[in-house]
Amino acid sequence: MNTEWLDSLTTAAIFTPSVIMSDIFFGIGLVVTSILCWNYNSDKNNSRQSNFLLTFLGLLVGWIIATLAIPFNPVDRQLYSGIGTALGAFFSGYLISKLDGVWSLVIFKSPDKTSLNIESLQFLAFFVTGMALSSSVIVVNRTEWLSIAFQCNPTLYGADLKKDSFILADKALCDKLRLPMPKETQLSKQ
């Protein structure tokens, strides 16, 4: 039986207990959130579509934030730091100042701000849930992969760490992940 396609899918995959658990919790969280999106306020016009849309947007935003927060190597770090700085400046400055007035209109039902708009809070909850789901699974998967990559090539993946904190890696694992491995980091077969 030809399993090359399966090997190519799992080449860069790390199956540690924390990765497996985070992926399982992500799947469970996505199913539960989808059920809530389907059922919550489904009798109102376009509420179901809005629930799914905001959850999906939350997933995308969480994925982007996690990817920018945990770069794979110094090249990514340099590239992402500029992008992250620009996005951070945009969100913290311009966008927040523009949303300040809109925020009160969306969250509160009445102009005197005495009652909350529950539907708007529901949409916000779906967005934040999507962000939390995707960012947590991305952070766990990237950090686990980076811990192995650091062992295989500390000069590339551990540029910010002290030289004496290097851990020797298994060459077979580094070969499986297709990570270059300098001779000084290879385990000696004794």
Side-chain angles (χ1 to χ4, degrees):
M1 182 160 136
N2 188 357
T3 61
E4 287 181 31
W5 65 274
L6 183 60
D7 291 340
S8 68
L9 286 177
T10 60
T11 297
I14 304 280
F15 296 110
T16 62
S18 58
V19 167
I20 293 169
M21 291 305 294
S22 73
D23 291 350
I24 288 171
F25 284 128
F26 173 77
I28 292 169
L30 200 56
V31 167
V32 169
T33 304
S34 297
I35 291 169
L36 290 172
C37 284
W38 186 261
N39 292 322
Y40 199 74
N41 282 344
S42 60
D43 56 338
K44 294 187 179 181
N45 292 340
N46 297 325
S47 184
R48 184 178 289 159
Q49 292 89 346
S50 298
N51 293 344
F52 279 107
L53 176 66
L54 288 168
T55 302
F56 180 71
L57 288 174
L59 288 167
L60 286 176
V61 169
W63 174 52
I64 291 168
I65 289 171
T67 301
L68 291 174
I70 312 227
F72 274 129
N73 55 41
V75 175
D76 286 349
R77 186 179 303 112
Q78 186 176 12
L79 175 68
Y80 293 164
S81 69
I83 294 170
T85 303
L87 286 175
F90 174 73
F91 281 112
S92 65
Y94 177 75
L95 195 60
I96 297 298
S97 68
K98 297 297 181 192
L99 288 178
D100 189 33
V102 176
W103 184 254
S104 295
L105 295 173
V106 171
I107 295 299
F108 295 104
K109 277 186 182 177
S110 59
D112 61 353
K113 299 179 183 177
T114 56
S115 62
L116 292 174
N117 186 347
I118 300 300
E119 190 173 2
S120 295
L121 292 175
Q122 162 206 324
F123 292 150
L124 181 64
F126 282 123
F127 179 80
V128 171
T129 301
M131 265 181 45
L133 282 172
S134 65
S135 62
S136 62
V137 77
I138 296 294
V139 165
V140 169
N141 280 279
R142 286 177 80 99
T143 53
E144 288 294 317
W145 189 89
L146 281 170
S147 69
I148 300 296
F150 167 72
Q151 293 175 27
C152 294
N153 194 338
T155 55
L156 179 60
Y157 296 102
D160 297 335
L161 301 174
K162 296 178 185 175
K163 188 74 169 168
D164 59 349
S165 64
F166 292 164
I167 302 168
L168 297 179
D170 180 20
K171 183 168 176 12
L173 179 61
C174 296
D175 289 343
K176 179 182 183 242
L177 296 174
R178 297 183 182 150
L179 291 169
M181 189 172 177
K183 288 201 182 288
E184 64 270 8
T185 60
Q186 294 179 17
L187 286 174
S188 60
K189 304 290 182 195
Q190 297 174 354

